[in-house]
Amino acid sequence: MNFIHQKLQERIAANALRTLKSENNLIDFSSNDYLGFAKSLSVKEWVDEIAYSQKLRNGAGGSRLITGNSSFTETLEKEIARFHQAASGLIFNSGYDANIGLLSSLPQKGDTIICDELIHASLIDGARLSYAQRYTFKHHDLAHLESKIKNSQGNIFIVTESIFSMDGDHAPLKEITALATQYGAYLIVDEAHATGIFGKHGRGLVCELGLENQVFARVVTFGKALGCHGAMVLGNDELRSYLINFARSFIYTTALPPHSLYTIKAAYEQLKSSDYTLLIQKKIAYFKQLTSKLGIALMPSNSAIQGIIIPGNTACRQAAATLNESGFDIRPILSPTVPVGKERLRICLHTFNTDEEIEKLSEALAKI
């Protein structure tokens, strides 16, 4: 079809064509496996043992409302909710499914959704599927957020990430929570990149700040620091029941297979066994210390996501290629994923990155 060819040619002309890449032998500074759980032998051994003892079947066989539910799933949901200091929670097949299901079903016609302008695509898509009025506010701009709240109608839903996936920076959650409370709005926080990294034993930034009872809904994902797959919406019992009845991305999909659920269980057991947040924070501090000494300008971030702005898709691709040739797996983040002129190298730090690897990476970055 002509329009397919035309759209692809436009991407090629902008040096923005996305392609799939296979695994490589480069040093990982790119994946979201911040704590190394995706390759953890102890997690794998735990899963293999319980899968054998439980005579694990291959798949769920249906949606959770038909044949895909189990007592293990419901017990796991209660355990995860307790860990994150929430009343209840519901597991979805992915973070994308969770955000789509929550935002497409909860706000109704006549309500208002107000989103930080840099929220994840899954939150944007969920909001688009809703019949509510949608606004965005400038990134972290509280005055702009308040002006949007004052012009809103119906139930007001404020949507933000706690740690932003492309910038790695923190949302001003205390201040946003105060505004939500002042105006009777409902706050929804995506904790995808804070889970496992912030709060005691990785409970997330909401818990670290003591805001559990003031945030209406949180989304924690298992595909980042926990190294597996799936996600969970945390909230009260009524929210859980509502999503079971109205979230289409939950209702009309086959449930996660048992092996995925056991892996989630094992990842949480691993998370509780040691305070991995201390390990990852040491890596983050060391990288920032070295890059500061070398005069490398990082984007503001205290998370495992560190960014270096290199404007232009072509220049950013070339910088990433140079680092790849030096043995480092670092990917360029290009427009339209980020705004034009804000293209960047997105560097992800992990507990398994050695100090020597971090030192060599910093030296390589200084030469770009």
Side-chain angles (χ1 to χ4, degrees):
M1 298 178 71
N2 287 338
F3 88 90
I4 294 178
H5 178 76
Q6 180 182 343
K7 297 299 287 186
L8 289 174
Q9 289 304 309
E10 289 172 3
R11 283 288 171 91
I12 292 170
N15 205 3
L17 185 70
R18 297 183 176 106
T19 59
L20 296 175
K21 294 183 178 180
S22 299
E23 68 276 7
N24 56 56
N25 294 318
L26 303 178
I27 300 169
D28 182 4
F29 281 103
S30 180
S31 78
N32 295 323
D33 185 26
Y34 306 124
L35 305 181
F37 284 11
K39 58 189 74 175
S40 168
L41 289 178
S42 57
V43 170
K44 183 180 184 301
E45 289 170 358
W46 195 96
V47 174
D48 288 345
E49 182 178 344
I50 192 168
Y52 178 79
S53 65
Q54 296 291 323
K55 296 183 179 179
L56 186 66
R57 59 179 180 169
N58 293 329
S63 73
R64 285 186 63 189
L65 286 168
I66 300 179
T67 59
N69 196 38
S70 68
S71 59
F72 182 89
T73 309
E74 296 200 38
T75 299
L76 180 62
E77 286 174 329
K78 291 174 183 177
E79 290 175 356
I80 295 172
R82 275 198 304 271
F83 177 82
H84 290 285
Q85 298 176 352
S88 192
L90 185 69
I91 288 176
F92 285 75
N93 286 12
S94 70
Y96 197 97
D97 285 341
N99 285 335
I100 287 281
L102 178 63
L103 284 176
S104 65
S105 67
L106 192 59
Q108 303 295 301
K109 188 174 183 179
D111 293 338
T112 306
I113 304 171
I114 311 175
C115 304
D116 186 292
E117 63 181 345
L118 297 186
I119 57 169
H120 194 273
S122 58
L123 294 165
I124 295 172
D125 290 353
R128 284 174 174 169
L129 288 170
S130 141
Y131 291 104
Q133 175 68 48
R134 293 182 285 111
Y135 296 125
T136 60
F137 65 95
K138 295 175 184 176
H139 190 47
H140 298 342
D141 189 328
L142 297 168
H144 196 222
L145 169 59
E146 186 170 18
S147 72
K148 295 295 184 182
I149 295 173
K150 289 179 178 179
N151 289 323
S152 298
Q153 60 183 4
N155 293 313
I156 302 169
F157 298 89
I158 301 171
V159 184
T160 187
E161 299 176 41
S162 53
I163 302 296
F164 280 78
S165 60
M166 289 295 111
D167 288 33
D169 57 340
H170 295 58
L173 285 183
K174 284 188 174 181
E175 293 81 359
I176 293 175
T177 300
L179 280 176
T181 301
Q182 178 183 347
Y183 289 97
Y186 298 93
L187 179 56
I188 296 172
V189 180
D190 186 336
E191 291 255 74
H193 293 276
T195 304
I197 309 300
F198 294 94
K200 186 177 181 182
H201 289 290
R203 287 184 170 90
L205 191 60
V206 169
C207 284
E208 182 175 297
L209 297 175
L211 302 174
E212 306 93 323
N213 296 325
Q214 299 172 64
V215 174
F216 176 71
R218 286 175 275 163
V219 179
V220 296
T221 61
F222 313 136
K224 309 297 191 293
L226 295 184
C228 41
H229 199 73
M232 187 165 174
V233 176
L234 300 168
N236 58 31
D237 291 338
E238 278 196 342
L239 176 61
R240 182 179 188 274
S241 182
Y242 182 90
L243 292 173
I244 290 171
N245 282 274
F246 296 101
R248 293 169 70 87
S249 60
F250 173 85
I251 299 168
Y252 298 110
T253 191
T254 299
L256 285 173
H259 189 277
S260 292
L261 296 170
Y262 289 143
T263 306
I264 294 165
K265 167 74 171 177
Y268 270 95
E269 293 302 319
Q270 185 87 340
L271 201 60
K272 290 184 284 188
S273 70
S274 180
D275 200 343
Y276 287 88
T277 59
L278 298 177
L279 297 175
I280 191 63
Q281 291 300 329
K282 284 182 180 179
K283 301 294 183 181
I284 296 165
Y286 189 52
F287 177 71
K288 294 185 69 174
Q289 175 192 341
L290 291 176
T291 51
S292 177
K293 285 182 179 179
L294 292 168
I296 299 168
L298 298 175
M299 299 173 68
S301 169
N302 291 317
S303 75
I305 302 164
Q306 300 290 316
I308 300 174
I309 297 290
I310 300 181
N313 282 352
T314 300
C316 195
R317 278 188 189 276
Q318 289 174 344
T322 298
L323 291 168
N324 294 164
E325 290 169 3
S326 298
F328 303 106
D329 188 358
I330 291 176
R331 310 295 173 93
I333 305 299
L334 310 173
S335 60
T337 299
V338 293
V340 173
K342 296 291 186 180
E343 295 85 3
R344 81 283 305 267
L345 298 175
R346 182 178 183 267
I347 299 164
C348 293
L349 300 169
H350 313 90
T351 54
F352 55 78
N353 291 134
T354 66
D355 288 352
E356 182 182 8
E357 289 171 346
I358 294 173
E359 290 161 9
K360 288 183 178 178
L361 172 62
S362 300
E363 291 167 2
L365 290 169
K367 296 175 183 177
I368 291 177

